[in-house]
Amino acid sequence: MLNFSAVEQVFPFLLKATLVTLELSILSIMIGLILGLFAALMKISNSKILQGIASFYIWIIRGTPLIAQLLLIYFGLPQLGIQIGAFESAVIGLGINAGAFIAEIFRGGILSIPKGQTEAAASLGMNYFKTLWRIILPQAFRVSVPALGNQAISMLKDTSLASIITVSELMMTSQQFAAGNFAFIEFYIAASAIYLALTTLVYAVLRNVEHRLSASDH
């Protein structure tokens, strides 16, 4: 028989850990958006050097496990004389990982915009950067919203891997209380329920954003 009384007693601590998970997610996705945009622009540029750098970044990050990337940052940087905390390591690792996937999302969105719009902007005297900022990127972002939403949800769930480098987010806190109370099923169900609630909320917000963007196009 399952008994969730232990979960109820420490629920405030689970909520506090949930806030850490949300903070990790938000900071990581912000870093990912910035890195992803720059990597996408580098990959579609006319410079072979920039293309190569972006392609290498995307290749190596997408081709290696996120857990290995987190461990390399957390344990590897101190060997190089760079001292950062577990939380900061998790944010950097998750952000860099997200950036590689977001880069491909943005690249696809940018390439989906008809070239005629760029040519029309040039005929009006707009330079490349102004065309990119005012015409291409806003449309590319709209096209990319569904895929970006999926990435945000994946990032939210991937924050659970931060527990491997001792970040006291939701999963690590649940594991600690589960071991201390010998209530593994109960705490893992509770953690899963919280993750499900968070991802459902994110999904609902994204659906609303998609709806508003679709309505503005008509």
Side-chain angles (χ1 to χ4, degrees):
M1 181 69 68
L2 297 179
N3 185 358
F4 286 89
S5 60
V7 176
E8 294 175 4
Q9 293 174 8
V10 300
F11 196 69
F13 294 98
L14 294 181
L15 288 180
K16 184 177 180 181
T18 300
L19 294 178
V20 176
T21 291
L22 285 173
E23 189 177 1
L24 267 177
S25 301
I26 293 170
L27 292 175
S28 300
I29 203 69
M30 288 175 61
I31 292 174
L33 286 169
I34 295 171
L35 289 178
L37 178 58
F38 276 105
L41 294 177
M42 289 168 66
K43 197 165 183 181
I44 64 173
S45 70
N46 294 323
S47 170
K48 295 294 183 182
I49 296 176
L50 293 180
Q51 289 178 19
I53 294 173
S55 296
F56 179 76
Y57 160 61
I58 294 170
W59 168 69
I60 197 168
I61 295 299
R62 294 184 61 165
T64 56
L66 172 56
I67 191 170
Q69 296 163 19
L70 291 173
L71 290 171
L72 277 172
I73 292 172
Y74 183 60
F75 292 107
L77 290 182
Q79 285 188 259
L80 302 176
I82 303 173
Q83 301 293 334
I84 56 175
F87 182 85
E88 291 77 10
S89 296
V91 169
I92 294 170
L94 290 167
I96 290 174
N97 183 272
F101 290 89
I102 291 174
E104 291 296 272
I105 295 173
F106 276 142
R107 187 177 71 88
I110 293 171
L111 294 179
S112 71
I113 308 303
K115 291 185 177 180
Q117 296 195 27
T118 303
E119 295 170 354
S123 68
L124 294 174
M126 296 178 67
N127 59 37
Y128 173 77
F129 292 104
K130 186 175 290 187
T131 301
L132 190 67
W133 183 254
R134 292 188 177 181
I135 297 177
I136 304 300
L137 289 183
Q139 295 183 77
F141 178 77
R142 291 189 180 192
V143 172
S144 302
V145 164
L148 289 173
N150 291 334
Q151 182 61 41
I153 291 174
S154 295
M155 177 57 60
L156 177 58
K157 292 184 290 184
D158 285 344
T159 57
S160 62
L161 293 176
S163 62
I164 200 69
I165 57 172
T166 71
V167 177
S168 296
E169 43 67 67
L170 178 57
M171 184 52 66
M172 182 177 181
T173 302
S174 299
Q175 290 174 333
Q176 290 174 335
F177 283 119
N181 292 274
F182 297 99
F184 295 96
I185 295 177
E186 291 88 341
F187 275 96
Y188 290 146
I189 288 177
S192 297
I194 294 174
Y195 278 114
L196 182 60
L198 292 176
T199 55
T200 302
L201 178 61
V202 172
Y203 178 75
V205 170
L206 290 169
R207 288 285 293 176
N208 182 261
V209 171
E210 289 181 45
H211 178 74
R212 289 177 179 273
L213 290 175
S214 297
S216 66
D217 289 336
H218 299 293

